[in-house]
Amino acid sequence: MTRPATRADLAGLPVEVAPLLLGAELQTEVSGERVVVRISEVEAYHGRGTGDRSDPGSHARSGPTARNATMWGEPGHLYVYLSHGIHSCVNVVCGPAGVAGGILLRGGEIVEGADVAERRRLERRGTVRTPRDLARGPGRLGDAVGLRYPRHDGIDAVGGGELAGARARLLLPDVPVRDVATGPRVGVAGEAGTDAFPWRFWIPGDPTVSAFRWGRGAAEAAARQADTPPVLD
């Protein structure tokens, strides 16, 4: 069972809120077509001045810009950005207004509107191997739910208001997922993609969770961390 998310639900730091989005549903209606995805994998990102440490992997690490403006706004809106010039990726904004934070929706299961999601994926990618791949990975998830950068950036998933022919609603599970795995974020460069930032959360054994891969320089950074001698009191 699920319930509509409130702004208060999302007012904490992204690293605190992120596990609570596992098992949540994102419902979208774009041009009259409805798709619902159940979230199985997320990643937390903090902006400059958010929490007790800097996050070098965040789009908001250097402060507000035109690109990341949504991350600094009211919780419950969706930060939709373009990755590699192709993929529209969807994040849930967390934290109070003026404090930047987002939770990337990395993967999920399409539980309603699979035919619509598959058509969108075929139009944009040309192939869908299996149903589990419809929203397995953030680019695929963005395609499947139909939210596109820049026109849907900032859409309100709590209030549910229309933006550019689309509506979105976030529903949280009545009972949070108990068995949660955590580890380094996928494909994030340098130290930000290592165990120093175990800010990826997923449902163990769920087939829609994406495969892990190191970001540029992250494996090397992890090796250096492993070789660092312990600090003795």
Side-chain angles (χ1 to χ4, degrees), residues 204-220:
D206 192 296
T208 62
V209 172
S210 56
F212 178 77
R213 60 177 176 80
W214 293 108
R216 186 184 67 256
E220 293 81 359

Side-chain angles (χ1 to χ4, degrees), residues 64-222:
T65 66
R67 181 195 192 196
N68 67 33
T70 299
M71 290 184 73
W72 298 86
E74 188 178 40
H77 292 256
L78 302 182
Y79 169 50
V80 182
Y81 71 89
L82 196 64
S83 175
H84 302 295
I86 302 173
H87 310 291
S88 288
C89 300
V90 180
N91 300 254
V92 177
V93 175
C94 294
V99 176
I103 299 170
L104 175 65
L105 305 183
R106 275 210 58 89
E109 176 191 8
I110 302 299
V111 295
E112 186 177 337
D115 54 338
V116 175
E118 182 172 4
R119 191 196 73 240
R120 289 172 176 163
R121 291 274 298 112
L122 289 171
E123 289 172 352
R124 300 202 62 82
R125 302 289 178 264
T127 182
V128 176
R129 295 186 183 91
T130 65
R132 76 164 188 167
D133 291 322
L134 282 175
R136 185 174 181 251
R140 293 171 177 174
L141 189 150
D143 286 344
V145 300
L147 298 179
R148 305 302 302 166
Y149 173 85
R151 61 184 177 272
H152 298 134
D153 179 32
I155 193 170
D156 187 356
V158 170
E162 183 176 339
L163 178 64
R167 294 182 184 273
R169 293 304 299 259
L170 179 67
L171 287 81
L172 300 181
D174 288 331
V175 178
V177 172
R178 294 182 179 178
D179 188 11
V180 175
T182 182
R185 297 174 294 195
V186 176
V188 177
E191 181 188 16
T194 71
D195 282 327
F197 291 87
W199 291 359
R200 175 187 177 222
F201 304 90
W202 67 94
I203 300 174
D206 192 296
T208 62
V209 172
S210 56
F212 178 77
R213 60 177 176 80
W214 293 108
R216 186 184 67 256
E220 293 81 359

Side-chain angles (χ1 to χ4, degrees), residues 12-29:
L13 295 178
V15 73
E16 299 166 347
V17 176
L20 304 179
L21 295 190
L22 296 175
E25 292 183 355
L26 178 64
Q27 304 176 349
T28 64
E29 186 173 323

